[in-house]
Amino acid sequence: MSSLVDQLGGTRWHRADVVAATGSTNADLAAAAATEDIDGRVLIARHQTAGRGRHEREWTTGPSGALTFSVGVSVGEATESMGWLSLLAGVAVADALARTIKFDAAPGVKWPNDVLIGERKVAGVLSEYTTGAAGGQAIIGIGVNTSMRPDELPVPQATSVFVETGRVIDDDELVVDILRELDAELALWPARLDELAQEYRRKCVTLGQRVRLVLPGDRELIGTAVEVDTQGRLLVAADGGSTTAIAAGDVTHLRTHPQS
Ligand SMILES: O=C(O)CCCC[C@@H]1SC[C@@H]2NC(=O)N[C@@H]21
């Protein structure tokens, strides 16, 4: 069988390392970025012992049953459109999953980047920015619950491909598909952000919903999710009429989306 890098020929991903276990692939690429250019690198771990989630939470996947990997992308100085990178990664995962497994309902993306099957989360994205030896680099980390059994799921709101379909899929095929998708998106980012944003909006199950947002500092906001702006922020129209741009927070959908 050809190597991952061979299968990724023609894309920006020129180096793909697979390790049996590590703490966190995001942390490993961040450490590497201090001394080298990590642009185009992929690091896959069969198991993570200290996986990081958004908002400094743990990302627990059990000893097996999840696809966990990170990529490095040179982005130069931090810009407004960088906020979109993690949202686009969510779209790449949703597209690849939809192709790999023919779900009745296509996976959707809950703002900012949780990939859902129905109302339950099957994948998450953690995007971080670091300045190292080669300047500003984004590290995009992706975790997909692939073959986790029901009793291995960390929280009731989580699901896995196996739980939803009864199928054990090939994690290496899925990662290649996600990486090809992500490469195609990055070729358009940031110059053609409008097109990418349109695709995101089509997949985003949060837009149009009545939502509760828990914001940093445990503040809460309830309103309607009306748009995602050029920085990837969620615009929420509060009941009183004012609209707030949210850069980071946890969303709960207060009513079911028509597609889910
Ligand atoms: O939904 C979230 O909270 C984001 C989860 C991101 C998890 C992935 S797994 C690979 C990469 N390494 C990490 O430590 N985290 C990301």
Side-chain angles (χ1 to χ4, degrees), residues 38-239:
I38 59 163
D39 184 48
R41 277 193 60 180
V42 179
L43 177 61
I44 301 170
R46 300 299 183 200
H47 175 49
Q48 284 189 139
T49 53
R52 299 176 183 171
R54 292 193 302 120
H55 307 305
E56 299 183 2
R57 286 192 282 253
E58 289 178 2
W59 179 260
T60 317
T61 45
S64 64
L67 168 62
T68 51
F69 68 101
S70 302
V71 299
V73 181
S74 248
V75 290
E77 279 182 23
T79 56
E80 281 198 352
S81 58
M82 262 190 47
W84 269 93
L85 286 178
S86 72
L87 281 64
L88 298 177
V91 172
V93 174
D95 278 340
L97 275 177
R99 259 194 307 274
T100 305
I101 316 120
K102 312 271 184 297
F103 291 113
D104 291 341
V109 181
K110 184 173 93 164
W111 184 88
N113 52 33
D114 287 350
V115 181
L116 305 187
I117 298 177
E119 290 289 316
R120 300 207 288 163
K121 177 168 170 175
V122 70
V125 178
L126 175 66
S127 178
E128 299 177 289
Y129 177 78
T130 182
T131 44
Q137 308 214 293
I139 297 163
I140 304 173
I142 296 176
V144 187
N145 299 338
T146 48
S147 46
M148 286 166 83
R149 304 306 198 250
D151 60 344
E152 294 172 314
L153 295 171
V155 289
Q157 305 90 318
T159 192
S160 70
V161 172
F162 177 77
V163 166
E164 297 295 327
T165 67
R167 281 176 53 197
V168 174
I169 59 168
D170 183 333
D171 284 4
D172 288 348
E173 280 178 23
L174 181 63
V175 77
V176 168
D177 205 5
I178 294 170
L179 288 167
R180 288 196 161 280
E181 200 66 53
L182 194 54
D183 180 60
E185 291 177 346
L186 289 169
L188 302 181
W189 178 90
R192 288 160 65 183
L193 184 58
D194 282 358
E195 286 167 52
L196 296 166
Q198 277 307 99
E199 188 51 35
Y200 177 83
R201 289 186 189 101
R202 275 193 282 276
K203 293 233 157 33
C204 181
V205 295
T206 303
L207 287 173
Q209 294 255 23
R210 194 164 164 70
V211 293
R212 176 187 299 117
L213 271 133
V214 178
L215 307 173
D218 274 348
R219 285 176 305 126
E220 192 180 90
L221 175 67
I222 292 181
T224 303
V226 289
E227 182 52 299
V228 178
D229 74 5
T230 53
Q231 300 178 40
R233 299 179 304 181
L234 185 67
L235 303 187
V236 178
D239 295 344

